[in-house]
Amino acid sequence: QKEVEQDPGPLSVPEGAIVSLNCTYSNSAFQYFMWYRQYSRKGPELLMYTYSSGNKEDGRFTAQVDKSSKYISLFIRDSQPSDSATYLCAMTNAGKSTFGDGTTLTVKP
Amino acid sequence: GAVVSQHPSRVICKSGTSVKIECRSLDFQATTMFWYRQFPKQSLMLMATSNEGSKATYEQGVEKDKFLINHASLTLSTLTVTSAHPEDSSFYICSARGDSLAKNIQYFGAGTRLSVL
């Protein structure tokens, strides 16, 4: 079983929808939780990172961490076609990062 | 945010030639750099981890003599694909992490698409 499991998708939503992207993990030692966005044929771009349980908001994006349930989410409000990409969750412990396999999101105009 | 520059973005070469890919941290010192390989619509596959001034640590199944990694300075790491063959065609991505930043966060380059004919 993988240490990090990410909802596989793909996910297709209409423009303006609220999107929820989710990952679960098994290692309670993970300390940092990150979300990356990867456009086709590009390297992943860091969107947000959090250190503790709770919510962190940045514009239309909200990262949520629930350490007790070992569950993290990324919410995208008012989704736009430009949000169409693959989203990767990642977590670190002792300097080592473990990535989810990614969820591909398509936002249709 | 921290910037990682990767060059070239695209390279096409003949079978049997060697290709070098550069990864530079532009505004921070990268104490650790990582090299990944990614096939279309698949997840990132870690190839190796390198710390400045030390030999790289390769993941199981990655040929050290095939994929030469050098991390000679705190801002530059290179990946050389030696005697490339068509099966080496892939998307290669570097990332870097630095003590001056949130230590556990990796920042990625834009990737290099290698096509071996």
Side-chain angles (χ1 to χ4, degrees), chain A residues 78-95:
Chain A
D78 187 25
S79 56
Q80 302 295 309
S82 58
D83 295 328
S84 298
T86 296
Y87 291 80
L88 303 165
C89 65
M91 310 171 189
T92 66
N93 171 43

Side-chain angles (χ1 to χ4, degrees), chain B residues 26-58:
Chain B
L26 297 186
D27 51 2
F28 67 100
Q29 293 186 324
T31 48
T32 307
M33 285 188 166
F34 306 85
W35 287 95
Y36 293 85
R37 185 173 181 175
Q38 189 176 39
F39 292 104
K41 298 188 178 182
Q42 293 192 22
S43 58
L44 298 170
M45 185 179 73
L46 180 65
M47 298 174 67
T49 302
S50 72
N51 293 300
E52 184 265 338
S54 303
K55 287 185 179 180
T57 301
Y58 290 80

Side-chain angles (χ1 to χ4, degrees), chain A residues 23-44:
Chain A
C23 289
T24 58
Y25 62 95
S26 57
N27 187 351
S28 58
F30 283 133
Q31 297 175 311
Y32 280 78
F33 303 88
M34 290 80 73
W35 285 97
Y36 291 86
R37 177 175 62 196
Q38 186 177 21
Y39 290 114
S40 181
R41 304 188 178 206
K42 294 289 184 184

Side-chain angles (χ1 to χ4, degrees), chain B:
Chain B
V3 179
V4 175
S5 175
Q6 186 174 342
H7 290 282
S9 59
R10 181 85 162 96
V11 59
I12 301 171
C13 68
K14 292 182 179 180
S15 185
T17 60
S18 294
V19 174
K20 181 184 281 189
I21 302 170
E22 289 192 350
C23 181
R24 293 180 184 272
S25 57
L26 297 186
D27 51 2
F28 67 100
Q29 293 186 324
T31 48
T32 307
M33 285 188 166
F34 306 85
W35 287 95
Y36 293 85
R37 185 173 181 175
Q38 189 176 39
F39 292 104
K41 298 188 178 182
Q42 293 192 22
S43 58
L44 298 170
M45 185 179 73
L46 180 65
M47 298 174 67
T49 302
S50 72
N51 293 300
E52 184 265 338
S54 303
K55 287 185 179 180
T57 301
Y58 290 80
E59 296 297 305
Q60 192 172 8
V62 178
E63 298 176 60
K64 300 179 184 181
D65 296 331
K66 176 75 169 176
F67 300 100
L68 299 179
I69 291 171
N70 184 285
H71 189 172
S73 79
L74 283 172
T75 60
L76 174 64
S77 176
T78 60
L79 167 67
T80 302
V81 184
T82 61
S83 187
H85 290 284
E87 58 266 27
D88 298 324
S89 299
S90 189
F91 192 52
Y92 293 88
I93 315 172
C94 71
S95 72
R97 188 177 72 204
D99 286 348
S100 63
L101 309 170
K103 288 186 182 183
N104 292 276
I105 308 301
Q106 290 183 34
Y107 293 87
F108 287 84
T112 297
R113 186 162 304 280
L114 171 63
S115 299
V116 185
L117 306 177

Side-chain angles (χ1 to χ4, degrees), chain A residues 25-84:
Chain A
Y25 62 95
S26 57
N27 187 351
S28 58
F30 283 133
Q31 297 175 311
Y32 280 78
F33 303 88
M34 290 80 73
W35 285 97
Y36 291 86
R37 177 175 62 196
Q38 186 177 21
Y39 290 114
S40 181
R41 304 188 178 206
K42 294 289 184 184
E45 167 196 2
L46 179 68
L47 278 177
M48 301 178 71
Y49 71 90
T50 57
Y51 180 69
S52 57
S53 283
N55 293 352
K56 183 176 181 180
E57 191 173 316
D58 184 1
R60 295 184 296 109
F61 298 89
T62 299
Q64 187 176 79
V65 174
D66 183 345
K67 285 189 172 182
S68 61
S69 301
K70 298 191 181 68
Y71 189 91
I72 71 170
S73 297
L74 178 71
F75 297 97
I76 307 174
R77 291 185 299 280
D78 187 25
S79 56
Q80 302 295 309
S82 58
D83 295 328
S84 298

